[in-house]
Amino acid sequence: MTSLPDTPQTRVGAAERDAAAERLQQAYAEERITHEEMEQRLQHALTATTRAELDLVTADLPADPRGDADTATLAAGGGRIVRRGAWRVPRTLKVASAFGKIRLDLSHAVIEHPVIDIELGLGFGRATITVPHNATVDVDGVQGGWKAVRYRPPRHATPGGPHIRITGTSGFGRVRIRHARRR
């Protein structure tokens, strides 16, 4: 089956609308557009149904230089890997540790993507991941070796947060995921 060419009348999906919203937010952060202009364009981008409607709100913005290459790797043989405070979380975060401890605190982090993938590769160490209180978490992709993954979703979910998918292997270490307290 051949695919149709991308024309101005081509219908767009949620992924294209989300990408346009990210470009608009980046343009605002770079002070290319005002807050009011961003809000107005976001409304149009999130309700766009065709390529032409979506292109209209981003036509005068530069292309995203990151593209799909928004991936970072944190690796250590031993010792600790710690990220906390206002650090920028990439779309895909690969974390590898043979013997060390990992502590990722996303509660105050800058999360620019609606979905974050965290790929774990643990040997004997352990990982503690703190997610924002309004995040949803998927741990089905983690293969526990010696100890099980510890995660208890909140009783009352708050919508609007990022979706965090955690995959990989935990070897002989423990993986613990918890939600941050509400501020």
Side-chain angles (χ1 to χ4, degrees), residues 7-62:
T7 67
Q9 294 81 23
T10 301
R11 296 187 67 82
V12 294
E16 290 94 345
R17 287 189 287 272
D18 289 346
E22 285 181 29
R23 282 185 64 200
L24 290 169
Q25 291 168 340
Q26 183 67 29
Y28 171 68
E30 294 171 352
E31 297 181 352
R32 294 180 188 273
I33 58 176
T34 65
H35 185 267
E36 294 79 20
E37 190 175 7
M38 179 191 66
E39 291 292 325
Q40 186 179 40
R41 289 183 183 205
L42 275 174
Q43 177 65 30
H44 291 295
L46 295 175
T47 58
T49 57
T50 65
R51 172 74 46 216
E53 292 172 351
L54 204 55
D55 287 346
L56 188 62
V57 297
T58 59
D60 61 341
L61 300 178

Side-chain angles (χ1 to χ4, degrees), residues 21 48 52-53 59 61 63 80 106 117 134 137-138 140-141 146 149 154-155 158 177:
E53 292 172 351
L61 300 178
R80 295 177 183 240
L106 283 69
D117 287 313
N134 62 347
V137 179
D138 178 4
D140 293 338
W146 190 256
V149 175
R155 287 188 218 167
T158 306
I177 297 107

